[in-house]
Amino acid sequence: MDRARVADWEGHVIVCGLQGVGLRMVEQLHQAGVQVVVVDEDPDQRLVRIVEAWEIPFIIGSPRIGGFLDRAGLAVVCAERTEVETLETALLVSERRPDIRVVVQLANAAVGAAVGHVTGPGTVLDVASLAAPSIVEACLGSDSYQIEFAGTRYMTSEVEVARFATLRALFGALAPIAVVPADGSATVACPGRDYQVHVGDRVTVLGTSEELEAADLVAAKAGDDGSGLRVHHHHAGAGLFKRIASLLASDDNSALRFAIVAASSLIVLSTIVLRLAYRLPHGGHMTTLTALYFTVETISTVGYGDFSFADQSTALEVFGILLIAGGATLLTTVFALITNVLVSWRIEQSLGRQQLVGLEGHVVVIGLGSVGIRVLEGLQAEGREVVVVERNENNRFLNQARALGAPVLIADSTQRQTLEDANVHSASAVAVLTSDDLTNIETGLAVRDYLGERWTNVPVVLRVFDRELGHTVEHHFDFRHVRSTSAIAAPRFVGAALGLDILGSFDVAEQAFLVGRLTVAPGRGLDGLAMVDLPAQTRVIALSRAADAGRLEHPPRRDTRFAPGDQAYVLGPYEELLRVLRHQHEGDVGTVAP
C-alpha cells in the first residue's frame, strides 16, 4: 500500500532506519511540511505506530534491495541499526544516484571522514558530537547558548522582568528570542521589540558579550555552582600532589603515616643532637644545615667520609650506631610502604576500583559510550576535572578515557558506595549518559537521594531518549536537565537533508529554536525582501553584506533589504525556520505580517 502511495512522489526524503535519531528526523521533517518515507527492515513496532499516526508511509524491508534507492527523491538519510548497514546503504546510494543528497549517521570518525569524501562536505554527522556541547553546557551550569557568526560571538541571556514595559524599552537593541509569561501561557517566540511584557515574565535575549555586559545581563562568573561550593579548575601537578596527600590521609595507610612520622622525628632529633654535640676537628659546632646533611647521609648509609663518629665522645658514637640502625630500618620501611601504596593504587586504577579522595568541584560522568567520551573531552577542554563511572569493564572507550587522564571507576552507578567512591557529594555536576533510559532514571534518582540538600544546586543531566518519558521524569521527579541526544542532533540531520546550513539549536521553556545560515541567491525568495516582511516567528540576527566586503550588520534595520550574495544568520522555532530556509532554497518565501 505504502509502496504504491509513494511511487509518483518527487522531492521527498527517504529515512533509512527508525531507531535513535531516525524517529526525531521523521518528526521534524513532517512538521516542516516535507514529504518523507521511512524504510526499515527490522523496525520497533512501537515506533512504527508513532509514524503511522502521523500518516507517514512506512515500508518494511531493506533499503538496499527492492528498488527503493532508484526511486529516491530529494535526499536519503542513512541512520540504520548498525554502522555497517548504514555504510553499505550510503555507498550504494552514492553509486546509483549521484544526483541526490546522502546524509549519513556514523560515529566512527575515520570511516566518517572517508565517506565524507564520497557523499560531500557536511553530510556525515555524529549524534554524540552534535549533542555533547549541550550536555557540557548543562554540566557547567550555563543556561546561555553561544554561537559564532562571521567571527563575532553571540550568546543568550535569560532575565526576569521587573516592570511593565516594552522589550525595546527594557533591552534596547538586544534581540528578543522568547518570552515565557509568568501566568503560564504559551511561550512567545521571536516577539517584536514593541511587545509588552509584565512583571515576572522571563525574557531570553541575544547579543554579543559586550552588549550583554553593557546591559548588565552577563551570566554569573564561572567557578561558582550557585551553592557556595567553589568549583576548582585543577592543574595536573596540583592534582597529583593533592591525591598523594589524600592517599596518606586514608585510614588504610596508617602504617605509612606512622613510618613517615617516625623517620621525620628521627631526622629532627639527630639534627638537633649533632648541631649541639658534634665537635669539628678545628673546634666549634656544625651548622644546622650541615647537621641535617650528616643525618641524611648517615641514615641513607651513603657515607661520603667527610664526617664520622670516630673522634667523637662515646655517647655520640653510641648515638651514631643507633642512628644508622634505626634510620636504615625506618627508611627501608617507608620506601616499602610507599611502593606498596603506589602499586596497589595502580592496580586499582587499572581495574577501575580505586576510591577517589580529596576531589571537589569535579564533574562525574556516568556511562562511557560515544556520548560520554565526547562529554568528557568537552569538559576537559573547559578545564574541568572529570571522574568517569562505567559498569562494563570491557568498554571500548576505557583506554581513551584513561589516556585523557580521567579516573575511571568500574562499578554500578545505582549503588550508594559507587557514588561515595566517585565523591559525588562534592561534585559540581553529574551527567548520567548510559544508553538505557531505565538505568539513567534509576541512577538519577540514586544521585538525587545521595545529594540530599545539595540536589537543587548541583546540575544533574539525565539522558532520556523517549521525549514523553523525559517530560514525565522532569515533572514528577524534579529533574531540570533532561536531554535527548537524538532530539538535539535531529535538526542538523534535517538541515543537511534539505541542503540547508543549520548552525545549532537550543531550547527555551521546551520550545526548540534553530540557528541557520543562508546565502541570498538572485531571483530566489529573499532577493529584495525587507526585514519587516519576514515571517513573524523568525529573526535575522546578523547580515553579512556581500556588497560591502562581507561587513557584518548587527542588528539589521527593519527597512534593510536582502541583496544577492548576502549571508543572513537567522533564528527561530525549528518548524518555522525550516520552512523559511527550505522555501528560500526552493525559491519562494511567503510574506507574513510582522
Side-chain angles (χ1 to χ4, degrees):
M1 175 180 174
D2 283 339
R3 293 172 186 260
R5 178 181 167 189
V6 303
D8 298 327
W9 279 13
E10 293 182 0
H12 59 289
V13 175
I14 297 178
V15 176
C16 303
L18 199 56
Q19 297 290 329
V21 73
L23 179 65
R24 299 296 170 226
M25 281 190 289
V26 172
E27 178 186 30
Q28 294 186 10
L29 286 165
H30 174 63
Q31 292 177 348
V34 180
Q35 288 184 317
V36 57
V37 180
V38 180
V39 181
D40 196 329
E41 59 182 323
D42 186 22
D44 183 327
Q45 291 303 312
R46 184 177 63 90
L47 303 182
V48 172
R49 288 191 292 271
I50 294 175
V51 171
E52 290 177 342
W54 297 331
E55 298 183 351
I56 293 174
F58 192 103
I59 300 174
I60 298 178
S62 172
R64 296 173 294 281
I65 60 177
F68 298 128
L69 303 182
D70 296 329
R71 296 195 297 270
L74 176 68
V76 174
V77 181
C78 306
E80 297 189 67
R81 191 176 300 274
T82 68
E83 292 207 334
V84 172
E85 293 172 341
T86 298
L87 176 62
E88 183 181 359
T89 301
L91 295 178
L92 281 174
V93 176
S94 299
E95 180 180 349
R96 295 184 188 179
R97 295 294 306 276
D99 57 313
I100 66 173
R101 284 187 292 276
V102 182
V103 181
V104 191
Q105 149 61 17
L106 284 174
N108 188 301
V111 176
V115 173
H117 289 298
V118 177
T119 59
T123 59
V124 179
L125 302 174
D126 173 24
V127 170
S129 298
L130 295 174
S134 175
I135 297 173
V136 170
E137 287 176 5
C139 289
L140 297 179
S142 172
D143 293 327
S144 175
Y145 173 75
Q146 300 185 24
I147 192 165
E148 187 171 301
F149 299 153
T152 302
R153 182 172 294 277
Y154 295 81
M155 63 181 65
T156 64
S157 179
E158 185 182 47
V159 62
E160 184 173 327
V161 175
R163 63 186 176 90
F164 177 77
T166 64
L167 294 174
R168 188 186 306 277
L170 291 173
F171 304 110
L174 292 173
I177 303 303
V179 175
V180 182
D183 60 10
S185 56
T187 299
V188 180
C190 296
R193 288 186 172 85
D194 294 324
Y195 183 86
Q196 293 183 327
V197 290
H198 300 78
V199 176
D201 291 351
R202 300 198 66 83
V203 181
T204 299
V205 295
L206 181 141
T208 65
S209 57
E210 292 80 8
E211 291 171 338
L212 293 176
E213 186 174 356
D216 197 25
L217 297 178
V218 178
K221 299 294 183 182
D224 194 335
D225 70 353
S227 63
L229 173 67
R230 192 70 182 170
V231 177
H232 299 284
H233 294 200
H234 297 274
H235 298 288
L240 177 61
F241 286 119
K242 190 170 185 177
R243 290 184 186 180
I244 290 175
S246 300
L247 284 173
L248 293 177
S250 173
D251 292 338
D252 296 333
N253 297 318
S254 57
L256 175 58
R257 287 201 306 276
F258 177 80
I260 291 177
V261 170
S264 302
S265 300
L266 180 61
I267 291 174
V268 171
L269 175 63
S270 175
T271 301
I272 295 173
V273 170
L274 293 177
R275 170 70 178 84
L276 298 176
Y278 193 93
R279 306 292 296 182
L280 295 172
H282 59 276
H285 296 282
M286 287 182 166
T287 64
T288 302
L289 180 60
T290 303
L292 176 62
Y293 166 75
F294 187 26
T295 296
V296 174
E297 181 182 50
T298 303
I299 289 177
S300 61
T301 66
V302 174
Y304 291 112
D306 42 2
F307 298 103
S308 72
F309 292 97
D311 299 326
Q312 301 301 310
S313 64
T314 302
L316 202 57
E317 287 185 5
V318 172
F319 174 79
I321 294 172
L322 295 176
L323 178 63
I324 294 172
T329 301
L330 284 174
L331 198 61
T332 303
T333 302
V334 168
F335 285 153
L337 291 173
I338 289 177
T339 302
N340 178 65
V341 168
L342 293 178
V343 170
S344 299
W345 179 75
R346 184 59 179 171
I347 292 174
E348 290 174 352
Q349 184 186 43
S350 299
L351 296 176
R353 296 170 184 168
Q354 77 271 30
Q355 184 177 16
L356 303 170
V357 292
L359 285 178
E360 61 180 37
H362 58 295
V363 179
V364 179
V365 173
I366 298 174
L368 194 61
S370 56
V371 176
I373 194 69
R374 297 290 179 267
V375 170
L376 167 60
E377 293 171 340
L379 289 168
Q380 288 188 332
E382 295 291 335
R384 294 301 179 91
E385 191 163 14
V386 183
V387 173
V388 175
V389 179
E390 168 58 41
R391 179 178 295 186
N392 181 10
E393 61 183 9
N394 297 315
N395 185 289
R396 65 192 181 102
F397 294 109
L398 285 178
N399 288 336
Q400 184 177 350
R402 287 170 177 152
L404 291 171
V408 180
L409 297 178
I410 305 299
D412 184 352
S413 58
T414 64
Q415 300 301 311
R416 186 178 183 86
Q417 183 59 51
T418 301
L419 303 181
E420 290 182 0
D421 292 344
N423 274 17
V424 170
H425 64 87
S426 60
S428 63
V430 180
V432 187
L433 307 174
T434 77
S435 57
D436 182 82
D437 282 0
L438 184 58
T439 299
N440 290 341
I441 294 171
E442 183 183 2
T443 301
L445 292 174
V447 171
R448 185 187 68 174
D449 293 341
Y450 182 78
L451 286 173
E453 294 180 355
R454 291 194 64 224
W455 161 252
T456 57
N457 297 318
V458 177
V460 177
V461 185
L462 210 62
R463 177 187 180 186
V464 176
F465 169 76
D466 190 294
R467 189 171 56 186
E468 296 303 322
L469 176 61
H471 292 331
T472 302
V473 168
E474 283 183 317
H475 176 69
H476 290 287
F477 298 143
D478 194 31
F479 284 97
R480 303 177 304 281
H481 304 284
V482 178
R483 298 287 188 271
S484 167
T485 54
S486 298
I488 295 171
R492 299 292 287 272
F493 282 85
V494 171
L498 298 180
L500 311 174
D501 193 358
I502 304 296
L503 301 178
S505 63
F506 62 96
D507 290 343
V508 177
E510 300 183 4
Q511 169 71 64
F513 287 81
L514 287 185
V515 182
R517 175 177 55 198
L518 57 86
T519 301
V520 179
R524 293 293 182 93
L526 289 180
D527 188 4
L529 192 71
M531 297 291 164
V532 70
D533 294 327
L534 279 174
Q537 287 193 314
T538 59
R539 184 174 302 283
V540 178
I541 302 301
L543 188 65
S544 179
R545 308 294 286 183
D548 196 5
R551 179 182 61 85
L552 195 68
E553 184 177 331
H554 165 73
R557 298 183 302 275
R558 289 166 57 87
D559 58 350
T560 297
R561 293 186 177 274
F562 293 104
D566 289 350
Q567 280 196 333
Y569 297 91
V570 192
L571 180 149
Y574 78 82
E575 302 97 331
E576 189 71 27
L577 192 63
L578 282 177
R579 290 193 187 99
V580 171
L581 295 179
R582 180 186 174 217
H583 291 163
Q584 152 63 14
H585 181 76
E586 295 175 353
D588 177 36
V589 174
T591 301
V592 179

